[in-house]
Amino acid sequence: MVKAMGIDVGSTTVKVVVIDKNKKILFKHIENTKPRIKEQVKEVIGKVKERFKGEDIPIISTGYGRKLVEEAKKSMTEITCHAKGIYYALNTTGTLIDIGGQDSKVIVVEKYGRVLDFTMNDKCSAGTGRFLENTAARMDIPVEKIGEIALKSEKEVKISSTCTVFAESEIISLLAYGEEIGSILKGLHRGLITRIVGMINSVAFTPPLMLSGGVAKNRAIKEMLEEETGYSIKMPEHPQLIGAYGAAIISLEQNI
Amino acid sequence: MNVLKKLKYALMTNLIGKPYLRIERKKSEKKIAKLFNPDSPLNPPLKITAYTKEFVSSHYFKGRYIEGVKPVAWVTSGAPIEILKALGFFLIYPENHAALCGARKVQMDLIKTAEKEGLSNNVCSYVRTDIGSLLSGRTPAGKLPKPDLLLACSNICQTVLHWYRMLEKHLNIPLVIIDTPFVYNEIEPHQVEYVKKQLLHSLLPVAEKIAKKSLKEKELKKVIKFSKDATELWLEILNLCKEKPSPLTVFDQFVFMAPIVEMRGDRETVDYYNEMYKEVKSKVNTRKGALKRERRRLLWDNLPIWFKMRELAVKMAERGISIPISTYTYAWGELAPLMDLKKDEFEVIAKVYLSPILNRGTGHKLNTMVKMVKEFKLDGVILHSDRSCKPYSMGQMDQRNRLIEEFKIPAMLLEADQNDENAYSEEQIAIRIESFFEMLGVSYG
C-alpha cells in the first residue's frame, strides 16, 4: 500500500506523520527536540520503519533541523509544508497563522496548498511560543494552563516591554507590586496577539483565518485573535502536526 | 615640492603601478578560473571581470600619490562631479570605498572602531565603515588621499549631510552642500533654477579657488560628454539583460557598476564600457547566459549585501534563479537621456542630479519596478530591506503589498544590511529565500 512520511524537526519538538494514499493519518508522533538532533531523528525514523516493516516509505523533512534528516529524500521549508498541510487538513484556502517555538509565520494559502504570500517574525522572540513559555516558567505555572488563567481574568495589565527578556523583568516588578497573575498573563497574550495581527496586516490576506503550531493549543490565543481580528478561526484537529502532515503530502504527491 | 610629487606620481603610477596591477590581474584571472569550475552553476564570467579589478584598483593606486599633484575632493555618489572633474579634481567616493571594504569583508573591524568612538549602530553602515577607516587609517585601498574639498548632495539621503559635516569638522576643510529638493511628480523649473544657482554660486567659486583655475566651458562639455557616453553604454548593457537567458546577473552588475559611479567623466570609463558592451552582446548572440540553467528571473530592489555577494549569487544560481536587473544598477543608467549636450551645462547638471530614484516619490519606484518586471520578463521581486539605507527601504512594505495585490507579482522582503553583518541572520534569511523559491515553484533536495 502506498504510504508517505513527513518529519518536522522544529526548535521545540520533533513531529512525524505517516499517511496513506488518501492522505489519511496512519501514524503520528511528537517528542521534544534534543540537542543531538541527527541521532534523535535517526532513532525516531528507525522506530517508524520498525512499525511499517518491509515497506519503503519516502520521507520529506521540514523545520529548522530539516537538513539533518539523512533519511529524507528531500527537504522543504516550513512555509511550503504548512500551506500544503493546512489546505488538506481543513479543505480550504485562507490565511494560516503558525505560532511555533522559534518563530511565527503568516501564510496566505491558495488552491492545492500553494503559497501566495508569507511573512515571518524571525527577528524577535516576542511573537513566538518561547515568549509564553519563558514567562510561564517565571511564574511557575505549567505552560498548558496559562491560556485558561488569562481568559478567566477580567483585568488586563499592559506589558510595555516588547522583548521577551525584558518582559520577564517587567513581570517580576508587576508581581512585586501585587498585580494578579491572571491579569499579567492576559496582558502577555495581548502583546503576542498584537504582533501577530501586525503580520496579518502585512500580507495579501484572504479569509478565513486558520491556526496551527504548538501554541494553537492555548485557547486564549484563539479567542483573543478572533476578538482582535473580527474573524472566526478554523483549527485543524492536530495543529502541531500540520508541518509534518504537509511534508508527508508533498512526499506522497511526488511519488505517485 | 610639487614637481617632486608629480615625478613620484608619474613614476609610481606608470612604472610601478601598471605592471604591479597587471600581475594582480593575472592572479585574479586564475582565481576566477578556479571558482568557475565545471561544477559551478554559473557560467564563467565576462573576460573583463579581472580587468575591472585592475581598473578600479588603478584609481585607488593613483590616489595614494595624488596629494600635491591634483586637488582632491571627497564626494557623495550622487554629487555633480562633472564640474570638479573639469577643474582637474581627483575624486574619492567614500560610499564606494565602504562598499569595497564590505566586498572584501574587512568592514566589521572598521565599524567597531567607529562605534567605539561613539557612532550609534543605527547610523548607516557606510558611514560607520568610512569613519572607522578614517580614524584608524586602515583601508584595503592602501591609503586614501586627504581631501581639499568635500562635496555632498542631498539627492540620495539626508545622512550624507550629517556625515559630511562630521568630516568637515574632523578634517577642517571646506564643505559644499548641494540641496536638491524632493521631486514628487515632474521636475519643476524653479527646482532646476534653485539647484543651478547653488552650482554656480556655492560650488563653483570654492572649487575654482581650490583648483587655482577657472572653469572652461570646453572642458566641462567634454566631461559631460564622457559621463553621458559611459552612462548610455551602461544602460545599453543592462538592457541586453532583457534577453533570455540573461547574459549578466545583478551580482555581476554590482561589481561592474563601480566605474560608472566613481570614474564617470573619464575617457577610459567610456572605453571600459564599450569593451564590456561588445562582450555582453556576443554572449547574447550566442545565447550564453550567466547561469547554466535559468529557471526563474527576479528583480532586486535596493543596494546589495556586499559581504554576502558570492554566497547569494551561488545560492540563487544553484536553484536556477537569475536576477537579471535591479533598481539600483539601473538607476545609474536611466539618467543618460537627460544629459542633453546642446543645452546649458549647468541646467543639464541640475536636472540630472535632481532625478535619481531616491530623490523621487515611492510611487515612482513602484512604477519603475512594475515596468521592469514587464520589460525584463521577470517572475518576482526581492526587496532588500536595507537597515542602513532608510530612503531606499522606506515604502517597501507598501510597494511589496501593491506588487502582490494589484499587479499579481510575487514579492518578498529580505531584511539585511549593505555592510553590517550584525544585521544579517544567516538561517532566517536562508529560510525566507528558500520559501520564496518554493513558492515560485523551484524546489530542490
Side-chain angles (χ1 to χ4, degrees):
Chain A
M1 201 171 96
V2 180
K3 292 189 186 67
M5 192 193 307
I7 177 160
D8 177 358
V9 186
S11 66
T12 317
T13 51
V14 176
K15 284 93 38 178
V16 185
V17 165
V18 177
I19 55 169
D20 66 10
K21 67 171 191 235
N22 299 317
K23 304 182 182 78
K24 199 175 152 255
I25 297 179
L26 301 174
F27 172 84
K28 57 181 196 296
H29 173 75
I30 302 177
E31 65 179 47
N32 285 338
T33 308
K34 293 171 191 161
R36 294 180 198 284
I37 297 174
K38 228 177 190 168
E39 288 77 12
Q40 183 186 5
V41 165
K42 215 175 231 121
E43 213 183 300
V44 171
I45 291 177
K47 277 183 197 160
V48 181
K49 280 191 172 163
E50 186 68 34
R51 202 189 151 106
F52 297 95
K53 237 180 197 166
E55 293 186 65
D56 180 28
I57 308 177
I59 306 172
I60 282 191
S61 61
T62 186
Y64 271 84
R66 66 189 178 284
K67 286 184 181 145
L68 297 170
V69 186
E70 285 169 347
E71 295 82 355
K73 263 185 85 172
K74 212 174 176 185
S75 72
M76 304 286 285
T77 61
E78 302 94 290
I79 302 279
T80 307
C81 292
H82 272 90
K84 191 60 103 180
I86 200 72
Y87 178 77
Y88 286 102
L90 290 176
N91 203 15
T92 176
T93 59
T95 304
L96 171 68
I97 303 156
D98 176 77
I99 310 174
Q102 187 158 307
D103 64 22
S104 45
K105 14 189 184 294
V106 174
I107 310 165
V108 185
V109 185
E110 272 193 308
K111 250 187 168 172
Y112 308 115
R114 279 196 301 255
V115 178
L116 177 72
D117 189 15
F118 68 90
T119 183
M120 291 171 87
N121 169 17
D122 51 20
K123 287 243 185 279
C124 164
S125 58
T128 69
R130 197 75 82 216
F131 182 59
L132 294 177
E133 224 171 66
N134 262 23
T135 41
R138 168 58 63 192
M139 291 186 185
D140 209 12
I141 301 170
V143 73
E144 304 78 39
K145 290 203 177 141
I146 52 171
E148 298 298 326
I149 300 173
L151 282 178
K152 271 187 203 141
S153 170
E154 295 274 319
K155 206 180 146 198
E156 181 180 326
V157 237
K158 191 173 162 47
I159 310 287
S160 47
S161 183
T162 51
C163 159
T164 304
V165 179
F166 293 144
E168 213 177 301
S169 11
E170 198 175 336
I171 289 159
I172 296 169
S173 35
L174 285 169
L175 288 171
Y177 279 111
E179 276 297 348
E180 291 290 328
I181 285 184
S183 50
I184 297 176
L185 283 178
K186 200 164 187 183
L188 264 178
H189 281 76
R190 185 75 62 199
L192 191 141
I193 300 290
T194 316
R195 271 156 199 283
I196 303 291
V197 171
M199 283 164 70
I200 297 171
N201 289 338
S202 73
V203 294
F205 172 74
T206 326
L209 274 177
M210 305 175 280
L211 192 57
S212 72
V215 181
K217 290 194 292 188
N218 178 330
R219 205 159 58 82
I221 295 288
K222 179 175 181 277
E223 286 189 19
M224 287 169 80
L225 257 172
E226 288 179 333
E227 185 189 313
E228 287 273 339
T229 58
Y231 285 95
S232 70
I233 289 173
K234 290 193 166 196
M235 286 258 285
E237 198 184 338
H238 308 290
Q240 237 177 320
L241 296 177
I242 291 303
Y245 182 52
I249 293 173
I250 296 170
S251 171
L252 185 75
E253 284 176 346
Q254 293 189 353
N255 282 286
I256 286 177
Chain B
M1 265 313 268
N2 272 357
V3 178
L4 275 178
K5 280 186 175 169
K6 275 178 188 162
L7 261 174
K8 191 178 170 193
Y9 173 75
L11 181 79
M12 292 307 288
T13 53
N14 290 318
L15 286 178
I16 296 177
K18 276 187 184 162
Y20 166 75
L21 290 170
R22 227 167 280 144
I23 295 168
E24 287 292 302
R25 190 212 310 175
K26 294 277 171 216
K27 276 193 207 161
S28 2
E29 276 167 0
K30 275 186 194 156
K31 204 173 144 194
I32 290 169
K34 243 189 211 170
L35 280 175
F36 293 88
N37 52 42
D39 298 334
S40 170
L42 290 150
N43 277 321
L46 299 188
K47 287 192 193 84
I48 209 165
T49 307
Y51 175 69
T52 306
K53 198 178 164 199
E54 180 185 342
F55 189 43
V56 173
S57 301
S58 75
H59 179 74
Y60 282 111
F61 200 86
K62 281 178 197 160
R64 291 195 208 183
Y65 306 101
I66 205 78
E67 282 173 37
V69 178
K70 278 182 171 189
V72 176
W74 284 12
V75 298
T76 58
S77 57
I81 50 93
E82 285 75 10
I83 297 165
L84 297 184
K85 278 257 173 196
L87 282 165
F89 273 84
F90 182 86
L91 304 179
I92 287 288
Y93 292 74
E95 289 156 63
N96 283 54
H97 173 253
L100 175 78
C101 296
R104 299 266 176 97
K105 299 184 186 178
V106 297
Q107 84 285 20
M108 289 316 288
D109 265 354
L110 304 174
I111 284 177
K112 261 184 239 159
T113 307
E115 286 178 2
K116 205 173 140 201
E117 290 301 321
L119 273 186
S120 154
N121 63 3
N122 289 317
V123 173
C124 162
S125 54
Y126 273 181
V127 183
R128 281 179 283 148
T129 303
D130 268 307
I131 296 292
S133 172
L134 179 69
L135 295 177
S136 66
R138 290 195 305 269
T139 160
K143 174 190 164 241
L144 292 185
K146 281 214 178 78
D148 306 293
L149 171 69
L150 298 162
L151 173 61
C153 185
S154 66
N155 57 2
I156 51 160
C157 67
Q158 298 298 306
T159 299
V160 293
L161 305 182
H162 304 285
W163 181 1
Y164 277 66
R165 281 181 189 133
M166 203 154 63
L167 289 175
E168 177 193 24
K169 207 169 158 191
H170 185 80
L171 297 164
N172 199 21
I173 52 165
L175 161 67
V176 175
I177 288 175
I178 302 295
D179 177 34
T180 45
F182 200 72
V183 178
Y184 289 92
N185 294 306
E186 294 303 314
I187 297 173
E188 305 286 342
H190 68 85
Q191 293 179 315
V192 178
E193 203 46 42
Y194 171 64
V195 175
K196 195 176 149 182
K197 264 187 194 160
Q198 295 174 67
L199 297 174
L200 281 167
H201 305 303
S202 302
L203 176 60
L204 193 57
V206 180
E208 283 182 333
K209 195 176 160 198
I210 292 169
K212 298 192 185 89
K213 60 173 156 183
S214 312
L215 182 72
K216 289 194 182 81
E217 199 189 333
K218 206 178 124 199
E219 277 301 310
L220 183 60
K221 272 212 181 311
K222 198 169 89 188
V223 175
I224 296 178
K225 170 96 173 63
F226 289 149
S227 260
K228 181 184 169 68
D229 288 351
T231 311
E232 266 174 359
L233 278 164
W234 178 240
L235 186 67
E236 282 179 42
I237 292 167
L238 296 181
N239 281 336
L240 286 174
C241 298
K242 289 177 181 169
E243 299 295 329
K244 275 185 175 181
S246 176
L248 299 176
T249 74
V250 77
F251 301 103
D252 304 313
Q253 294 165 15
F254 287 145
V255 176
F256 295 151
M257 70 183 280
I260 198 68
V261 184
E262 62 191 3
M263 289 148 94
R264 63 181 188 274
D266 289 341
R267 179 191 291 276
E268 296 79 5
T269 307
V270 182
D271 298 341
Y272 167 79
Y273 285 112
N274 232 326
E275 276 308 303
M276 186 184 293
Y277 179 80
K278 280 188 226 156
E279 214 188 326
V280 177
K281 182 79 184 151
S282 83
K283 267 188 110 171
V284 167
N285 290 344
T286 53
R287 298 184 58 80
K288 196 152 176 108
L291 269 63
K292 284 188 181 144
R293 186 174 171 219
E294 185 179 277
R295 298 171 72 189
R296 295 286 187 279
R297 294 158 65 91
L298 302 180
L299 171 70
W300 179 277
D301 181 49
N302 216 328
L303 275 72
I305 304 165
W306 290 109
F307 53 93
K308 282 284 167 193
M309 288 255 285
R310 170 92 200 140
E311 288 91 329
L312 284 174
V314 172
K315 198 182 176 71
M316 307 253 171
E318 275 171 354
R319 318 287 189 243
I321 301 278
S322 165
I323 307 187
I325 194 67
S326 72
T327 52
Y328 184 59
T329 46
Y330 210 67
W332 290 98
E334 61 192 352
L335 302 182
L338 286 174
M339 296 181 179
D340 190 342
L341 296 169
K342 286 178 211 122
K343 284 193 178 154
D344 168 64
E345 298 84 13
F346 281 84
E347 192 179 316
V348 168
I349 296 174
K351 263 194 190 153
V352 166
Y353 290 100
L354 269 163
S355 303
I357 196 163
L358 293 183
N359 204 42
R360 314 192 68 140
T362 50
H364 172 81
K365 196 174 92 185
L366 176 71
N367 294 337
T368 308
M369 287 196 277
V370 172
K371 201 169 145 232
M372 286 170 112
V373 167
K374 215 172 146 195
E375 286 180 2
F376 285 80
K377 305 171 207 76
L378 307 175
D379 304 295
V381 182
I382 294 181
L383 299 109
H384 167 208
S385 172
D386 182 350
R387 194 174 150 69
S388 275
C389 195
K390 277 89 177 171
Y392 217 132
S393 309
M394 188 184 65
Q396 274 180 326
M397 194 82 98
D398 291 319
Q399 284 158 358
R400 191 198 83 101
N401 289 352
R402 288 185 62 187
L403 281 171
I404 296 171
E405 286 168 20
E406 268 177 50
F407 301 98
K408 312 291 172 219
I409 300 167
M412 176 191 59
L413 217 56
L414 196 68
E415 285 154 354
D417 193 275
Q418 63 209 36
N419 249 18
D420 189 349
E421 291 180 27
N422 289 335
Y424 189 93
S425 333
E426 197 79 54
E427 183 56 22
Q428 277 85 349
I429 284 188
I431 290 194
R432 269 180 207 226
I433 291 181
E434 285 177 19
S435 304
F436 190 59
F437 291 173
E438 287 173 3
M439 194 177 126
L440 295 170
V442 184
S443 67
Y444 35 87

